[in-house]
Amino acid sequence: MKDLKSLIRAVPNFPKEGIKFFDITTLLKDGDGFRQACDQMWEPFANAGVQKIAGIESRGFIFGAAMAYTQNLPFVLFRKPGKLPAETESESYALEYGEDQIEMHVDAVSPGERILIVDDLLATGGTAAAACNLIEKLGGEVAGISMLVELTFLPGRQKLEGRNLNFLFEFASESMDSDD
Amino acid sequence: MKDLKSLIRAVPNFPKEGIKFFDITTLLKDGDGFRQACDQMWEPFANAGVQKIAGIESRGFIFGAAMAYTQNLPFVLFRKPGKLPAETESESYALEYGEDQIEMHVDAVSPGERILIVDDLLATGGTAAAACNLIEKLGGEVAGISMLVELTFLPGRQKLEGRNLNFLFEFASESMDSDD
């Protein structure tokens, strides 16, 4: 078993001064690490009656698609506005300044279907909470949310109360020299 | 075996009036179809000495990541400008009006490494040609390019002369009522 956390690269001052960016591309570049991450992201939901996997654009596509392949499950997409060509439903969420939206095709989810939401990293939780609401708007059920990383110095988890959550590891501090 | 081409949905007038958009989300929603697509996209390169798979943002991530998982290969990313946090190299390509760029981390490719480039659909070929150039700029070798669909009514293939190409099927016409 690999120490997946050690495969993440912290990049200072990206996307802006003072922010530490947790870069997963160094994990993706490790074939065994990537496989292990996908397997562990699926494991807790093996008996959760998951009928579809939904990936959040765009790093959620990477883990979600591999999980859909291994489980032989349908894969559906949460995308940024204007990217999906057919009829969509959308959900807004707050940003630090202003708001953004995610969209899903209305035919991506059937009533009562149990959906596992996949992304790479939980930060403020706005996108993940919107993804849950969007599944429910379309009549589906959220079987759970599975991500590689939780940034526990941000309040993302508060927005996901009552959801089945799976994170493989966390970063507890954004300071560049911490022991997280 | 599924008829993968029949799983693609043609959406008229997207992203603008008069354009037919070939929507792959209907294929992704078919678990067996998605698996078969990934397997067939890999198959011709099974003995090509591929050392890494590179996906083009963002639909290329879906097929590329699943292929990387099944082959236990590293997965690296071509992204739109400003998305990758560490040191990048970039390559420009022409659009109908103006130009765009793709980027890759400089440490994504090591000298001499054989890379398989993966995306969903070949249209004008600008992105795919830029992806090849970028791999070579970084010292890598292009083992091939594998995509689900080729739009043969566009001249994409001309930009990829001498490359090892694999497309699972083609659409020969953009007219909405054609027999493609």
Side-chain angles (χ1 to χ4, degrees):
Chain A
M1 296 280 279
K2 293 238 173 186
D3 173 11
L4 298 181
K5 189 172 173 176
S6 71
L7 296 175
I8 304 294
R9 165 167 60 185
V11 180
N13 304 316
F14 186 89
K16 56 185 182 185
E17 195 66 27
I19 301 289
K20 180 166 70 170
F21 188 88
F22 295 95
D23 178 17
I24 65 153
T25 67
T26 37
L27 181 145
L28 301 177
K29 235 174 61 174
D30 184 302
D32 293 330
F34 174 52
R35 280 177 76 96
Q36 182 184 320
C38 295
D39 292 346
Q40 292 185 352
M41 286 171 74
W42 170 255
E43 208 172 41
F45 301 100
N47 298 306
V50 174
Q51 292 166 288
K52 271 180 185 160
I53 291 180
I56 298 178
E57 182 173 2
S58 67
R59 287 184 294 264
F61 291 177
I62 296 169
F63 298 96
M67 291 158 73
Y69 182 101
T70 60
Q71 301 308 318
N72 204 13
L73 287 172
F75 187 56
V76 295
L77 311 182
F78 290 107
R79 296 212 64 176
K80 297 182 175 89
K83 300 285 193 78
L84 290 169
E87 193 191 344
T88 58
E89 183 59 86
S90 67
E91 180 76 16
S92 299
Y93 57 96
L95 298 175
E96 195 178 358
Y97 303 102
E99 64 166 38
D100 208 344
Q101 293 194 325
I102 52 168
E103 294 187 343
M104 179 168 258
H105 275 146
V106 295
D107 62 5
V109 173
S110 302
E113 261 181 348
R114 289 177 62 73
I115 315 287
L116 178 63
I117 297 170
V118 173
D119 205 353
D120 64 329
L121 181 146
L122 184 71
T124 62
T127 318
C132 293
N133 294 342
L134 193 38
I135 294 286
E136 289 169 350
K137 245 188 206 178
L138 295 172
E141 288 176 31
V142 178
I145 302 172
S146 195
M147 301 195 199
L148 191 64
V149 193
E150 179 182 12
L151 303 186
T152 53
F153 56 86
L154 292 172
R157 189 178 277 263
Q158 291 171 22
K159 293 207 184 74
L160 303 173
E161 228 177 87
R163 305 293 184 184
N164 296 319
L165 304 179
N166 177 41
F167 305 102
L168 303 195
F169 53 87
E170 64 181 41
F171 288 102
S173 161
E174 61 183 328
S175 81
M176 292 306 298
D177 52 358
S178 73
D179 188 36
D180 62 24
Chain B
M1 295 283 277
K2 293 236 171 187
D3 174 10
L4 297 181
K5 189 172 173 176
S6 71
L7 295 176
I8 304 294
R9 164 168 60 185
V11 179
N13 303 315
F14 185 90
K16 55 185 182 186
E17 195 67 27
I19 302 290
K20 181 165 69 168
F21 188 89
F22 295 96
D23 178 18
I24 64 153
T25 67
T26 37
L27 180 146
L28 301 178
K29 235 173 60 172
D30 184 303
D32 293 331
F34 174 53
R35 279 177 75 97
Q36 182 184 320
C38 294
D39 292 347
Q40 292 184 353
M41 285 170 74
W42 170 255
E43 207 172 43
F45 301 100
N47 299 307
V50 174
Q51 292 167 287
K52 272 180 185 160
I53 292 182
I56 298 178
E57 181 173 2
S58 67
R59 286 183 295 263
F61 291 177
I62 296 170
F63 298 96
M67 291 159 73
Y69 181 102
T70 61
Q71 301 309 318
N72 203 14
L73 287 172
F75 186 57
V76 294
L77 311 182
F78 290 108
R79 295 211 66 175
K80 298 184 174 85
K83 300 287 193 77
L84 291 169
E87 193 191 345
T88 59
E89 182 60 86
S90 69
E91 180 75 16
S92 299
Y93 57 97
L95 297 176
E96 194 178 358
Y97 303 102
E99 64 168 36
D100 208 344
Q101 292 193 325
I102 52 168
E103 294 186 344
M104 181 168 256
H105 275 146
V106 294
D107 62 6
V109 173
S110 302
E113 261 183 346
R114 289 178 61 73
I115 315 287
L116 177 63
I117 297 170
V118 173
D119 205 352
D120 64 329
L121 181 147
L122 184 71
T124 62
T127 318
C132 293
N133 294 342
L134 194 37
I135 294 286
E136 289 168 351
K137 245 188 206 179
L138 294 172
E141 289 177 30
V142 178
I145 301 172
S146 194
M147 301 194 198
L148 191 65
V149 192
E150 179 181 13
L151 303 187
T152 53
F153 56 88
L154 292 172
R157 189 179 276 265
Q158 290 171 23
K159 293 206 185 76
L160 303 172
E161 227 177 272
R163 304 293 183 184
N164 296 318
L165 304 178
N166 176 43
F167 304 103
L168 303 195
F169 52 89
E170 65 181 40
F171 288 100
S173 160
E174 60 183 328
S175 80
M176 293 305 300
D177 50 0
S178 74
D179 187 36
D180 62 21

